[in-house]
Amino acid sequence: MNSAEPAIIFQDVKKSFGPLQVLKGMSGQIHFGEVVSIIGPSGCGKSTLLRCFNRLEAISGGRLIVDNIDLSAPKMSTKQLRQLRANVGMVFQQFNLFPHMTVLDNLTIAPRKVLQHDDKESARMARFYLDKVGLAEKANAYPDQLSGGQKQRVAIARALCMKPKVMLFDEPTSALDPELVGEVLEVMKQLAGEGMTMVIVTHEMQFAREVADRVFFLNQGYIEEQGNAREVLTSPSSDRLRAFLSRMNAINV
């Protein structure tokens, strides 16, 4: 896939919830093969922007194109939404696994129902991605038999079963105990190394510095600073970003 080709284009994107304007005009591009981290204080619009990329939220203004699908229109056809959701995977803070289904069934339901894969192919793919995240032996377990880190790795494997072009991660480690964070970040590092296009909302600054190609720093509904992740996080230009990184470093000491 051409790494120069934009996976996501957003221009002057706005999003309001009633009288509250959360996104006040954000613009940028994310290219195929890139890893982009979105950082910023609570309430700055990070998760809202990410959810717009998968049409879990419809934008209120501006222009948004994801994988050549225009998400700017107020309404989209079922066919367009199905194509978008097949090509853009999402991993949430809370794992959203079906508790009454085994791990294997959690992974095969979408390929069977959305991609129309048969049971054998869906199971083969599920086992392949379970092995990829180091959980091949958990295929027949139920979610309540897994640790938080294992649940999140299953959620990543579930998203990968759709063979997405883009993966969105909404603070994937924020609900985990500190000792379980590393196992999830390790899987994400592996995906980044394999060239997966990833957009990650995160508070893990070291992970962003090491793994992301670029970073967007959001503040009060705008992108205040963006650029090469290592440069931006090591030598920020914005006073607000310097203050934010100082607070994050104090928390993580």
Side-chain angles (χ1 to χ4, degrees):
M1 203 172 289
N2 183 3
S3 61
E5 180 185 354
I8 301 172
I9 302 169
F10 55 108
Q11 298 172 338
D12 197 31
V13 163
K14 300 179 177 70
K15 175 62 183 178
S16 297
F17 297 96
L20 178 64
Q21 189 173 20
V22 178
L23 308 183
K24 301 177 181 178
M26 296 189 180
S27 299
Q29 290 190 1
I30 296 166
H31 293 91
F32 283 114
E34 265 198 313
V35 177
V36 174
S37 286
I38 301 176
I39 65 171
S42 297
C44 68
K46 303 185 298 295
S47 292
T48 299
L49 180 62
L50 198 75
R51 290 170 67 85
C52 288
F53 292 163
N54 203 23
R55 188 66 181 205
L56 292 174
E57 301 288 353
I59 65 174
S60 306
R63 184 168 177 258
L64 174 59
I65 297 174
V66 179
D67 190 32
N68 291 318
I69 301 173
D70 190 345
L71 308 190
S72 311
K75 292 186 178 180
M76 293 180 63
S77 69
T78 302
K79 181 179 179 181
Q80 284 178 312
L81 275 175
R82 186 180 289 259
Q83 180 185 346
L84 177 72
R85 300 277 162 75
N87 290 341
V88 182
M90 187 151 184
V91 177
F92 300 87
Q93 297 177 37
Q94 304 295 338
F95 326 111
N96 293 351
L97 301 175
F98 294 112
H100 62 290
M101 291 184 178
T102 65
V103 165
L104 189 67
D105 288 341
N106 266 282
L107 267 62
T108 58
I109 186 170
R112 286 189 289 107
K113 292 187 175 295
V114 178
L115 301 180
Q116 306 299 311
H117 288 172
D118 61 32
D119 291 352
K120 185 176 179 180
E121 171 62 13
S122 298
R124 184 198 66 77
M125 198 180 311
R127 291 184 186 280
F128 173 82
Y129 285 113
L130 275 178
D131 184 58
K132 192 178 190 69
V133 301
L135 292 173
E137 77 285 359
K138 298 295 185 181
N140 296 317
Y142 286 87
D144 65 1
Q145 297 172 311
L146 306 177
S147 70
Q150 289 172 332
K151 289 176 185 175
Q152 194 60 292
R153 284 189 281 156
V154 168
I156 292 171
R158 177 181 58 184
L160 291 172
C161 281
M162 296 294 286
K163 295 190 174 178
K165 296 180 182 179
V166 179
M167 285 278 283
L168 309 177
F169 294 86
D170 188 5
E171 299 196 40
T173 60
S174 65
L176 301 179
D177 293 332
E179 65 270 19
L180 301 177
V181 169
E183 65 188 65
V184 175
L185 295 183
E186 198 57 43
V187 170
M188 294 170 66
K189 284 181 183 179
Q190 181 185 345
L191 293 176
E194 294 170 357
M196 172 63 75
T197 308
M198 300 163 65
V199 187
I200 308 163
V201 171
T202 184
H203 282 108
E204 301 287 341
M205 294 302 110
Q206 183 176 345
F207 174 79
R209 191 180 297 111
E210 292 176 359
V211 177
D213 299 299
R214 289 191 298 134
V215 66
F216 295 156
F217 171 61
L218 274 55
N219 188 59
Q220 298 181 348
Y222 298 98
I223 298 177
E224 179 146 332
E225 190 167 346
Q226 61 177 294
N228 176 277
R230 196 171 287 272
E231 292 175 6
V232 167
L233 295 175
T234 303
S235 303
S237 301
S238 157
D239 288 340
R240 289 191 181 95
L241 178 51
R242 276 195 290 273
F244 171 76
L245 292 174
S246 180
R247 287 196 301 275
M248 295 306 297
N249 288 335
I251 290 170
N252 292 325
V253 166

